[in-house]
Structures are given as C-alpha cells and as structure tokens.
Amino acid sequence: MSTNLLRRMRRVFMSLLALALVTASLATGMEPASAQVQTPPADGVVCTTSPNATFTLTTQTGYIGLSDDNTVFMWGYAESGKPFQHPSPVLCVNEGDTVTVILHNTLAEDVSIVFPGQGNVLANGVPVQPQFDAGGNLTSLTNVAPANGGSITYSFVAGRPGTYIYQSGTKPDKQVRMGLFGVLIVRSNRDDVANDIRYAYDTGENGYKASTEFMVLLSEIDPYLNQATERGQTFDMSMYHPRYWLINGRGFPDSIAPNFATWLPTQPYGSLARIHPYDPVNNPLPALVRYINVGTIEFPFHPHGNNSRIVGRDGYVLEDAVNGDLSFEKFSINIGPGQTWDATFSWYDAENYQPDTNPVPVTIPNIQNMVYGMFFSGSPYLGTEATLPVGTTGMTQCGEYYIIAHNHALFQLDSWGVPMTGPATFTRVDPPLPNSCPQ
Ligand SMILES: [Cu+2]
C-alpha cells in the first residue's frame, strides 16, 4: 500500500470504517495463509539481531502519535546510538545462544529488565536477585541499572524457542506502562530459512512460512500517567485508567501502515498481515502470529472469519508425552496479561468463486443501490478490480481482500473517545501468484 494511499485513508477512514467492516464481512467464512518481505520488510516481524546475540539498550524518552491525533510521552529501551522507538526493539536470538543485554540508564530513576521464561539469568555475572531497601521493602524484582547514567549487563542462555516478553522489573506498574517493554523471540534450530520455512518450536506441527510471520503486541496507555511522568510529578496508581489500546505501539489505521512508515517515526512496527490463499502445491504452509499482552487485563483479540491454531503459549509448545499434540483451534484469541500465544493460520478460498465458471449465487445489486467500503475492490471475486461508484475512495490495488482483526472488548476499540480506532488491524489476502499486486 503506498504512502499516499495511507495518508488519504487516515483522513477519511472514520466515516468509511463502518463500510469497510461490511466489506470485510463479504470475505468471512474463509481462512488466511502467506506474503512477501523485503529488507526491511514492509510487513511482518522486524527482528533486531546480533551475530553474537549481544544487545546494547539505552533508555530513551520520546513521543508517539495516537489515532485521535494526540501525542503521548513515553519511555523505551532503544538500541545504542539509535533514537527512541515504541515498542522497544524485537530481539531475535537462536535457541542455545548466550544472550547478553547491556542496559544503560539515562532516566532519573533506577530501571531494569526481567526476562520471564528465561532461566539462570545473570546480572554482571552473578545470579539476579530481587532488590530491597534498608527497611526490607522490595524495590525491584531484579538488579538495576542505577539512575542517571548507571549500567548493568544481563546474560542468559536462550533455552527454548518461543515468544517472550522483556520488560522493566523495577516499578513495573509505572515503568512497563511508560513503555519499558519489548518482545524476545527465540528461534528454533529446526528452521529451514533457505526454503522459507520456520518452526515456532522444536517439536510439534508448528511449521510456518518464514516470510509470513507477524506480531500482535497488545498494550495500553493512561495518558495522565505519562503526563505526570513527563512533568516529574507523582501519579496515584489507584487512578490508573487506560484511554488508549495499541497493536505494536500503534492504533488503527496507523496499525496497517508499513513497518518504518516515515510518518510514524517513533513507531516502526506495523501489524498488517499480508498473505496468499492456501494452496496445497504453491502455498501449503500457514502464517504465524505471535500474540503478546503487556497490558493489565485480558484482551480478547478477534480475527474475523478465521480460526487460528494455537500451537504454543508462554514459550511452551502445546503437547505433552501422554497426549501428544495439544494444539487447538480458536476463534477469538483471549490473551491474559503477561501471556504470549503463538497461532498459525491459513486462508482458504472455500467457495472459490470465479466470474465465469463459479459465480456468486446471488444477484449483485446495481451499484447505485449499494454502499462501497474503501477496502472493497468493487468485485466479490478475489483478484478482480471493478468499477467503483463516482466519488468512492478505493484503497485496493489488485482485487485483494481485507479482513479485519481487532480487540473485541469494544470499549477498548477506541482512542480516548474516538471509536473504531485503537487495536484493530487487517489481514490482507492477495490473489494467488502470479498476480498484479505491487510487492
Ligand atoms: Cu469483530
């Protein structure tokens, strides 16, 4: 999707989103599958890697843009020498790597990082310990990088493949809410990247098309907490009340803009899932979505018209020695706070409607009698662009389908009172290859 299209769309989406939902519903009852990536990829997970799995992170402050055009002050862990970004970088390592994270703290209070799911974490070479003040009160869940310039080095062996959170273990009620969190992906030794195949885990049926790997990192913001922090004021956490909910640090429609969209300079990660229909020969593997919840309550995420297969949770493959495979099909993906869920999905062209040989079994009304959503090509047939009524803003490129996926707690599908924004994104289903879609 081009930059211009997305900018136009941002202006007009409010009045047209309802129509888009109608359009999207035309494509329900079917299921998703796979896409194209470049370097850096326009869509999909953006991995921050290091040859020796060593990452140098520095706390930074900055601002993000939200769907009501507000901006909010945030904290983040940024790669050394790079500016603030939200969320913090996605750290990708391989199982068995000795991972080293060097944390430099520029903030005026102690910060830290905990690595839930990782065992035997060291801080400056010795096992991490909770921290207490002189009165015996817990001050941090782990060793800290002291305020105003302190540093600490964490290390651990990445034992199991999976999706993990890393986040502040110091005043997490405040610091995680302020943005001190990110995702850690541990890759499996089963991966066969040369053939575009990865596996979420070392065992089980969780192979996926490597180029269709997506992330849905769900978070929340109470802007009054952020404002108080920016002003150096205290904030009464009993008054904590989020007004924004985000995917990968963006609200809709920014959520479907490409990775590194220039107009979202501090929010590099999009969440559009771009795939092709399942094909037993040419596109047999599913896509993978890594769901992560760093909020304070459960988020019932809801990809329309599509079941996913949950293959792992919290870095554990869903199987055991007695029962074997324990993966399961799921419609809404209800992720608890602090959880990660890994889900595979394909999109099946179940009816395979074709204009000549297998037309839709309804009489299509005259276009004057229909309302067109901006994500409707004008034709119900995948891969067909048809005439749009005069004055209609069309956003499709090659007759692709857009299927909405959103947080189904509808009071959260919102940006401080602007409805139908926040945690919503799309699955974009391109026609089978070869097609005329811009890549
Ligand atoms: Cu819905």
Side-chain angles (χ1 to χ4, degrees), residues 111-160:
V111 303
S112 65
I113 303 178
V114 288
F115 300 91
Q118 306 305 321
N120 302 314
V121 179
L122 305 180
N124 293 339
V126 299
V128 291
Q129 295 289 333
Q131 304 295 302
F132 300 90
D133 66 15
N137 302 304
L138 182 71
T139 57
S140 177
L141 297 171
T142 190
N143 306 66
V144 303
N148 302 310
S151 297
I152 193 165
T153 299
Y154 303 103
S155 59
F156 57 90
V157 175
R160 300 190 315 274

Side-chain angles (χ1 to χ4, degrees), residues 145-194:
N148 302 310
S151 297
I152 193 165
T153 299
Y154 303 103
S155 59
F156 57 90
V157 175
R160 300 190 315 274
T163 308
Y164 303 94
I165 295 168
Y166 71 93
Q167 64 181 34
S168 179
T170 309
K171 298 183 194 167
D173 53 338
K174 172 189 176 185
Q175 294 190 1
V176 176
R177 305 283 84 75
M178 286 300 300
L180 291 185
F181 61 80
V183 172
L184 170 70
I185 295 174
V186 180
R187 298 212 174 278
S188 168
N189 290 335
R190 275 208 288 176
D191 286 358
D192 181 5
V193 180

Side-chain angles (χ1 to χ4, degrees), residues 302 304 404 406 408 410:
H302 169 59
H304 273 213
I404 197 168
H406 63 96
H408 214 294
L410 296 181

Side-chain angles (χ1 to χ4, degrees), residues 30-37 43-44 209 211-214 271-279 283 285-289 304-307 344-349 382 398 400-403 426-433 435 437 439:
M30 310 175 250
E31 313 235 324
S34 313
Q36 297 285 323
V37 289
D43 51 62
K209 186 171 177 173
S211 51
T212 56
E213 177 185 24
F214 306 102
S271 58
L272 180 76
R274 189 174 176 185
I275 62 172
H276 294 90
Y278 170 82
D279 181 308
N283 193 32
L285 288 175
L288 181 78
V289 184
H304 273 213
N306 183 54
N307 277 14
T344 58
F345 72 101
S346 291
W347 186 86
Y348 298 90
D349 196 352
L382 182 63
C398 54
E400 73 275 24
Y401 290 159
Y402 291 92
I403 305 170
F426 282 115
T427 299
R428 170 179 170 154
V429 181
D430 279 359
L433 292 169
N435 63 38
C437 302
Q439 295 309 309

